[in-house]
Amino acid sequence: MTRELVVPDDGERAAFAPIVALAFGTALEDIAPWFERAGFPNLRVLCEADRVLGGLLRVPMAQWFGGRSVATNGVAGVAVAAEERGAGVAGEMMRSFLRETRARGVPLSTLYPATVPLYRRAGYERAGARHRVSVLAERLVTQERGLSVTALLQEDAEVLALHAAFASRRDGYLDRGPYLWDRIFRPRKGQHHAYGVRGPQSLEGYVVYTNKQEHGHDTEIQVLDFVASTGRAVRRLLQLLSDHRSLANRVTWHGASPDVFTMALPDRRHELVAVDHWMLRIVDLPTALGERGFPRVPEGVLELEVDDEVLPENAGRWRVVVEGGRAKVARGGSGALRLDVRALAALYSGYLSVHALAQLDLVDGTANTLDAADRLFPPGNPCMGDMF
Ligand SMILES: CC(C)(COP(=O)(O)OP(=O)(O)OC[C@H]1O[C@@H](n2cnc3c(N)ncnc32)[C@H](O)[C@@H]1OP(=O)(O)O)[C@@H](O)C(=O)NCCC(=O)NCCS
């Protein structure tokens, strides 16, 4: 019987809702609003005749690499009906989804895996972390009160520009689409608060957070978004959060490690944990390499031989010439660096050095070739604060 991954009609969407509710332990009545926020055209279900076997949510957005925004399709809400599990449904959905993503001209796909082997088999690889910082509110005191503080209502143009400038310098941070901005300024749970800190010229930083009663009168602050463009904005935002310390116990935020906020802490004591790792899929190799930024090396050439069973269009030899921070990619070359598309994802994001990947037998090449790859893909610290 033929199976197809499709945008669900009303009936199929209704059939998918309890599958998602069971998979994620969510109340059924919360699923329809979730689908609405994701946008009905972004839902996909795998159908066999009139049965819905499972589905997923597409999250259109982009991700920053080398200071440039590269389009990616996030994947969320992957769920298979309990009675259909263990028979390859999720694997089939992912392969169909990737073919569709490629046909749409989107060069990357990004997700947080609940189980790694499923996504590795589809060609994703671990490519970055999400760190959680947790610190007592009383340890955030910086005494900086030099900027004016004003309430923010939404992600207006000034907020978007400030976020883009901040995120663009951090490999792996999202260039958010509406779904992600919704999660910041219209969170599903809890009352959020948003404040900007403003200098004489412009907005220099902002914080969006919830403050929730936890034990007795004590509260916990969860930061949803934390952005600053100057040192005084970093210190002013820390002070703003510490001004809650009479009742607030802990303050938690997510992002890079180290980040500008932990660097500015006046006290050494804070907890820092890599709570999640996200995975990346190179969906369209020449576009993914052509759209990201590279180090401004005088000139770098890399000749790849790539394996990709799921998207064979990526497989084979590619010649990558990097000049002035941009790459030109064409078919051909000697194939001096041999790797599969998963290793390329870890290299692309800067998660692992080419030498570390060679130690894992995930890439193969001469010492000179590995050194050349290292100059173009220096290991970094790819991170993302967002969860989707
Ligand atoms: C995870 C889930 C989507 C897998 O669906 P499925 O159709 O059974 O998966 P497949 O049969 O295609 O399995 C592919 C591989 O994924 C892995 N996998 C499948 N189910 C798994 C599970 N429950 N736990 C851990 N790994 C699992 C296995 O490695 C499997 O390959 P193998 O059976 O050869 O070892 C399904 O169990 C589900 O809906 N779970 C609840 C929601 C969830 O975790 N979603 C993922 C969010 S990122």
Side-chain angles (χ1 to χ4, degrees), residues 240-260:
L240 183 126
L241 293 173
S242 79
D243 288 341
H244 292 284
R245 68 191 181 281
S246 58
L247 286 174
N249 183 18
R250 280 200 168 267
V251 178
T252 300
W253 66 88
H254 292 87
S257 160
D259 74 355
V260 292

Side-chain angles (χ1 to χ4, degrees), residues 85-96:
R85 291 183 189 171
V89 169
E92 191 176 334
M93 288 196 310
M94 292 310 301
R95 290 191 297 276
S96 296

Side-chain angles (χ1 to χ4, degrees), residues 23-24 78-80 85-91 112-115 117-119 121:
F24 293 95
V78 177
V80 170
R85 291 183 189 171
V89 169
Y112 281 101
T115 167
L118 166 65
Y119 301 110
R121 237 173 255 173

Side-chain angles (χ1 to χ4, degrees), residues 302 336-337 354-355 358 364-375:
L302 205 54
L337 189 74
V354 72
H355 294 286
D364 188 24
T366 62
N368 279 349
T369 302
L370 297 187
D371 286 347
D374 210 31
R375 283 191 290 278

Side-chain angles (χ1 to χ4, degrees), residues 58-66 68-75 97-98 100-102 104-111 123-124 127 172-174 278-292 311 314 341 344-346 348-349:
R58 183 172 76 101
V59 184
M61 55 188 173
Q63 214 171 350
W64 295 99
F65 290 107
R68 294 184 55 89
S69 171
V70 186
T72 187
N73 271 184
V75 185
F97 173 76
L98 288 170
E100 181 198 322
T101 305
R102 198 186 147 82
R104 285 175 175 272
V106 178
L108 298 176
S109 176
T110 314
L111 55 79
Y124 290 79
Y173 263 53
L174 294 183
W278 42 272
M279 299 179 86
L280 185 70
R281 210 314 172 177
I282 307 289
V283 177
D284 182 324
L285 185 149
T287 312
L289 289 169
E291 295 205 344
R292 62 160 296 157
L311 297 173
N314 291 324
V341 76
L344 185 61
Y348 183 95
S349 74

